[in-house]
Structure formats: C-alpha cells, structure tokens
Amino acid sequence: AVIASNVDLDLGGYTISGRGSAFADVAVAVGETLNTCASPTATTNVRVHGGSISNIPDAVLVCQAGQAIVDHLSITGVQRGVSLSSGTTETIVQLNPSISAQVYAIGIVTGSSDDTVFQNTVQGNTEGILIQDGSTGNLISSNTISSVGGSGIVVGSSSDGSEVDSANNIQGNSVSVPPENPPASLFAGILLYTGAMDAIVSNNHVTGPGTYGI
C-alpha cells in the first residue's frame, strides 16, 4: 500500500500474483491500507507502472488521490482492473497494453472527477470502462475496448435519473460488443444512463452485434 505522496512504484517488469478470487485482496492500493476505500489517506503524485498483475480480485485501487498515474501494466485474471475511487481527481490511466477483468477493466467511481483514461487496451466481462456514483468531468479517449458479457463504456447506473454523472467526455474510442445473450439483455458499445448529463460523445467507432451501438 502507498499512503505517502510523491512516490514512484516501478514494478520493474515483475508480476504480482494473488491468491485468487476467494480472497478480498488488492495488488496495489494507493491512499489506503485496507482492501476498500473505507478510510482513505489523501495522497498526490503517485505513479504505479511497469509490470504485471494477475489472479487477484482488485489489481490497482486508488483512493482519494490527486495527480496519480497508472501506466504500462498488464493485468489479467482479476475481478476489477484499475479503480479510481473516493474522490480521486486529476489522475491518469494510460498506455496499459492489456487489462482483462471479470467485472470492469477500468472504473471511475464514488465521486471521482477530472480523471483521464487514455490509450489503453481493455476487456471486461461485464463492462470495459465504467463511470459511476456521481463521477464528473472525466475524459475517456483513444482506448480499444471489448466486452464479452456487457457494454463497452457505461456512464451511470440509474435509469430514473437519481444518479448524476455529468460532463464526461467520451471520444475517439474503438469499442466491440457481443451479441445480446440472453435476448432481454441490454448490450451497447456506449451506454449512457438517464443521469449522464452534459456528456460529450464524439468520433467513437463501435462494432459487433450488440443491442445498440450507442
């Protein structure tokens, strides 16, 4: 865990391998010593990069951080890849060559804002990239995203507008989605729920037989 500012955590090409999904473990936690963001410590300028993470529920969990960078990681066999949580701001997730996760590859959640997700290659079994829980002003740009069991990019979760995730910018991404299975499922390349206000969606390329492109 990293609970100090101005830290460069270089994995040096090594792999962090966990005990599997039966354990509530995190490979790298920033701003937190636990496996959740229950009691975060605000940090700034932390970089995590240069290695692999596998066989663990959460690969990288960033809690209440500012100006962090997560880059050049290969992540596989996890539930959640990179999570920006609990008011994380101005943080960049970029140039990760492969993130494969059962739930989501990259998540911006619980009030995180002004973060950037740029030029990653990701696959999520449920969602590729998720913005949720009142997270605003984030940029999702130039990523290659595939989903094998859900939507590629999802903003929000509430169809009645009770959750507001505003002013998020989704541009220049390449998204592929699976067929609807079962037929009642809603699979989309890009899915914006009712509270996704003031979003900008531009120059994205969506392929696959999903229910909707956007």
Side-chain angles (χ1 to χ4, degrees), residues 34-93:
L34 304 175
N35 57 4
T36 67
C37 290
S39 54
T41 299
T43 61
T44 58
N45 192 31
V46 174
R47 184 184 179 196
V48 182
H49 63 106
S52 301
I53 298 172
S54 65
N55 197 36
I56 196 166
D58 287 273
V60 180
L61 177 62
V62 182
C63 304
Q64 200 173 315
Q67 300 177 340
I69 301 175
V70 180
D71 65 294
H72 294 93
L73 296 177
S74 294
I75 298 172
T76 187
V78 301
Q79 295 294 308
R80 291 161 292 273
V82 179
S83 300
L84 308 183
S85 184
S86 299
T88 289
T89 63
E90 298 180 357
T91 287
I92 300 172
V93 181

Side-chain angles (χ1 to χ4, degrees), residues 69-194:
I69 301 175
V70 180
D71 65 294
H72 294 93
L73 296 177
S74 294
I75 298 172
T76 187
V78 301
Q79 295 294 308
R80 291 161 292 273
V82 179
S83 300
L84 308 183
S85 184
S86 299
T88 289
T89 63
E90 298 180 357
T91 287
I92 300 172
V93 181
Q94 67 176 2
L95 303 172
N96 294 286
S98 177
I99 303 177
S100 179
Q102 286 296 310
V103 180
Y104 58 73
I106 300 172
I108 302 175
V109 298
T110 54
S112 295
S113 62
D114 302 317
D115 300 308
T116 299
V117 177
F118 174 72
Q119 214 168 77
N120 304 278
T121 299
V122 308
Q123 176 179 299
N125 192 54
T126 306
E127 283 108 16
I129 297 176
L130 174 65
I131 300 175
Q132 201 172 73
D133 309 321
S135 297
T136 63
N138 301 288
L139 172 63
I140 311 299
S141 176
S142 306
N143 301 280
T144 301
I145 304 156
S146 62
S147 173
V148 297
S151 298
I153 301 173
V154 177
V155 181
S157 65
S158 169
S159 59
D160 64 4
S162 58
E163 177 185 320
V164 176
D165 301 89
S166 63
N168 293 289
N169 188 344
I170 300 168
Q171 65 178 29
N173 301 282
S174 178
V175 186
S176 63
V177 291
E180 47 186 332
N181 182 27
S185 298
L186 174 62
F187 292 167
I190 300 171
L191 175 59
L192 307 178
Y193 280 93
T194 304

